[in-house]
Amino acid sequence: MAMTLPVPIEFLPPEGWFPADLEKADATDVAFAVVHPQPDAGFAANITVDGEYRPDTATLTELADKSVERLRNVADSVVVTDCREIGSPDAPALIQRLVFSVGFGDARRELVQSQVYLPMLDVADSREWAVVRLALTATAAQHDTVLGDFQDFVRTVRPGTGTGI
C-alpha cells in the first residue's frame, strides 16, 4: 500500500504521463508516482511524491543529505551535482540533482534524479510541519528531455484542503 502524505497537497500531473502501480512496484514509501510513456533503454522516467512530518529542527539541506545517504544504500557512485536552497523565507525550498548508477539484471543504468523539497505547514495544526519531496528520475540521456515536464509539475504543487493526495 502506498504511503499517505502527512499534509494534503494538490497538483496536476504532466500531460501524457500515466499513473504508476505503486503496489506492483512495491513502492510503499511513495504517495504518488507517474511514469513517462516512452522509456529510454528500458527505463521509464518517473516522478514520485513522498513526505514526512518533521518534529525536529532539521534543515532542508540536512534532509537532502539524508536522502543521498539512503540512495547510497541501493545505488553506486552517487554524486550530488547541484544542491541549493531557493525561494524566500516565507516559501523556502531546496533543489538537488543526483547522478548515480544502478543495476538492472545484467545491465547498468546511469540515472539522474532531480529532487525538490517543499516544507509545508499542516493546515489542521499550524504547529506541525512536514516536508514534501518531489523527485524526477530518468536516464542520463533522457533527463533533460523530461525535465521541463517535471518543472511544470512542480509549479502546480500547492497545499491542499483535503486529507492528502
Side-chain angles (χ1 to χ4, degrees), residues 32-99:
F32 177 81
V34 289
V35 180
H36 191 269
Q38 297 173 335
D40 176 51
F43 183 85
N46 60 80
I47 296 171
T48 59
V49 178
D50 63 62
E52 61 183 332
Y53 271 112
R54 296 307 310 178
D56 57 20
T57 58
T59 66
L60 292 176
T61 301
E62 290 168 334
L63 296 176
D65 290 345
K66 288 179 184 178
S67 179
V68 171
E69 291 308 312
R70 282 191 305 272
L71 186 56
R72 284 190 172 128
N73 289 329
V74 297
D76 299 324
S77 307
V78 179
V79 176
V80 178
T81 61
D82 187 20
C83 184
R84 57 194 147 103
E85 292 190 35
I86 59 171
S88 67
D90 293 334
L94 180 135
I95 57 174
Q96 174 169 263
R97 183 175 293 185
L98 311 170
V99 176

Side-chain angles (χ1 to χ4, degrees), residues 142-155:
Q142 190 179 35
H143 183 269
D144 290 348
T145 304
V146 297
L147 182 59
D149 285 351
F150 179 62
Q151 291 168 331
D152 291 345
F153 167 75
V154 170
R155 282 191 276 278

Side-chain angles (χ1 to χ4, degrees), residues 5-6 14-15 25 37 39 60 89-90 106 127 133 140:
L5 286 178
E15 188 173 326
L60 292 176
D90 293 334
D106 294 337
R127 296 169 297 173
R133 183 176 67 142

Side-chain angles (χ1 to χ4, degrees), residues 104-159:
F104 288 100
D106 294 337
R108 297 211 66 69
R109 300 275 191 269
E110 298 302 317
L111 301 178
V112 178
Q113 186 173 85
S114 292
Q115 302 174 337
V116 176
Y117 292 81
L118 302 172
M120 295 187 173
L121 286 176
D122 186 333
V123 294
D125 184 352
S126 62
R127 296 169 297 173
E128 298 285 338
W129 69 286
V131 173
V132 173
R133 183 176 67 142
L134 316 169
L136 165 68
T137 306
T139 63
Q142 190 179 35
H143 183 269
D144 290 348
T145 304
V146 297
L147 182 59
D149 285 351
F150 179 62
Q151 291 168 331
D152 291 345
F153 167 75
V154 170
R155 282 191 276 278
T156 71
V157 176
R158 41 193 58 27

Side-chain angles (χ1 to χ4, degrees), residues 21-45:
D21 184 342
L22 297 177
E23 288 187 33
K24 184 177 179 183
D26 194 28
T28 57
D29 58 344
V30 173
F32 177 81
V34 289
V35 180
H36 191 269
Q38 297 173 335
D40 176 51
F43 183 85

